[in-house]
Structure formats: C-alpha cells, structure tokens
Amino acid sequence: MRIYITGGSGSGKTTLAKKMAKCCDIPYLDLDKVKWINDGGKRFLTSRIIDERKEIIANFIAQNQDWICDGVYYHDWIDAVLENVDIVIVLRTSRWRRHYRCIKRAFCEEALRTMSVRALWDLLCWDHKYDAEYWPMLKDKLDKFGIPYKIICADSIKESSKLIDFTEF
C-alpha cells in the first residue's frame, strides 16, 4: 500500500504517518525533509532545488514497494508521489487547533525550537490560507487525475486513528 497523508500545518500528518508506518511496518518519508535543508539545526530556512526534491522522491519510490509519506504539498515536485499513490488521507483539523499545535511545537518541542520567529509567522500565515486556497488546489489535482482520497475530520490523532481502518492497509 502506498499512502500520502496531507492536511494543514499542525493537522497531525506526521504523527499519524509515523504511527501508520510503524503499525504496518512500511517505510516512511517526511516531505518536509525533502523540501527543506536542515541548516545546522535551523529548520525551514533553505529549500532544496526542485530537481533534488524530485530525485529524492523517485529514489524512495523505486526502493520501496509499499510506503507512507506525509506533507502539505501539492506542487508539481510531488507528482511522482501522486502518480504512485494508492490513497491520499486528508486530515481536516480546525485552523485554530492547527495554529495552536504549530506554536506549541515551535516553543516546546526540542527538535523544532530552532525555528525562527519569522519562520513560525510565515508558517501560520501560510496555514491560515490552507482551507480556502491550498486544499482546493490539491483537491482539484486529485480529482483531475482520479486519485482516491479519504477525508478525516478530527481534532486529535486519537480521533483520526479511530476513523481509519488500519486493516485496509
């Protein structure tokens, strides 16, 4: 099974993807780590060039029959994911819950504490437009290519997990 988990920033994509990958014992790819270069501990400052992103994704897909990846991306550089995916899981979490999680992560989680205030602000501004602008772009792409997707409306990973039948995978 090849699964792409998407949703706004802070919707729980990475947590759910890691949980599913562990539960199903299949490889996992974080598209944030494909797009962004970890600049000496500072995150979300420098993005990789598009050809490099495409190459990382192509190599991951070529090396793994089954996989799970997560990200909020809809740009052409993830087309290889969409061309090879069996299903897309869309996490629909309230905007304010997502914002709270992003802020909490930026200040409380060790791995993300190096995020600059500017990067956090940019993330919140981007995410604020997710429901009205960015999700419709991805939905149009999924519909255009006939890619099946399942929308999960929940504000917690526990709720999301209950709404997904893991035996499907």
Side-chain angles (χ1 to χ4, degrees):
M1 183 57 89
R2 296 170 306 250
I3 304 164
Y4 176 42
I5 300 176
T6 190
S9 300
S11 63
K13 301 176 298 296
T14 301
T15 303
L16 182 61
K18 287 178 179 178
K19 182 177 182 174
M20 288 180 71
K22 183 177 181 179
C23 174
C24 301
D25 193 29
I26 59 176
Y28 161 71
L29 179 66
D30 180 345
L31 292 178
D32 277 344
K33 290 183 179 174
V34 173
K35 176 168 180 173
W36 299 100
I37 296 170
N38 185 342
D39 293 336
K42 295 186 186 288
R43 294 189 57 192
F44 310 113
L45 294 177
T46 307
S47 60
R48 296 181 198 280
I49 61 171
I50 291 174
D51 288 341
E52 188 178 353
R53 293 180 221 166
K54 288 180 177 181
E55 183 179 342
I56 293 168
I57 291 170
N59 288 337
F60 178 79
I61 290 171
Q63 294 171 8
N64 300 289
Q65 181 176 355
D66 296 316
W67 47 262
I68 293 177
C69 71
D70 82 274
V72 69
Y73 305 104
Y74 56 89
H75 305 88
D76 291 345
W77 62 269
I78 71 150
D79 282 356
V81 169
L82 298 179
E83 290 165 1
N84 289 281
V85 75
D86 293 317
I87 189 163
V88 174
I89 296 174
V90 182
L91 298 181
R92 301 289 291 176
T93 307
S94 71
R95 176 185 303 144
W96 302 111
R97 171 76 63 173
R98 295 191 319 257
H99 286 1
Y100 167 77
R101 288 177 179 165
C102 290
I103 293 166
K104 182 179 171 189
R105 278 194 319 224
F107 292 105
C108 298
E109 290 185 23
E110 186 70 34
L112 293 176
R113 257 191 257 158
T114 56
M115 178 185 247
S116 71
V117 173
R118 177 61 192 203
L120 175 60
W121 176 255
D122 290 346
L123 175 66
L124 294 173
C125 290
W126 187 93
D127 185 68
H128 197 75
K129 297 188 257 182
Y130 172 79
D131 297 311
E133 291 184 38
Y134 305 120
W135 160 240
M137 289 180 197
L138 177 57
K139 184 182 181 311
D140 287 347
K141 197 170 203 174
L142 298 175
D143 290 342
K144 179 180 176 184
F145 294 109
I147 299 167
Y149 59 91
K150 180 175 187 167
I151 297 175
I152 304 293
C153 296
D155 272 345
S156 76
I157 298 304
K158 195 173 191 176
E159 284 179 68
S160 297
S161 296
K162 287 179 183 177
L163 296 171
I164 296 172
D165 181 2
F166 286 91
T167 61
E168 292 177 34
F169 313 110

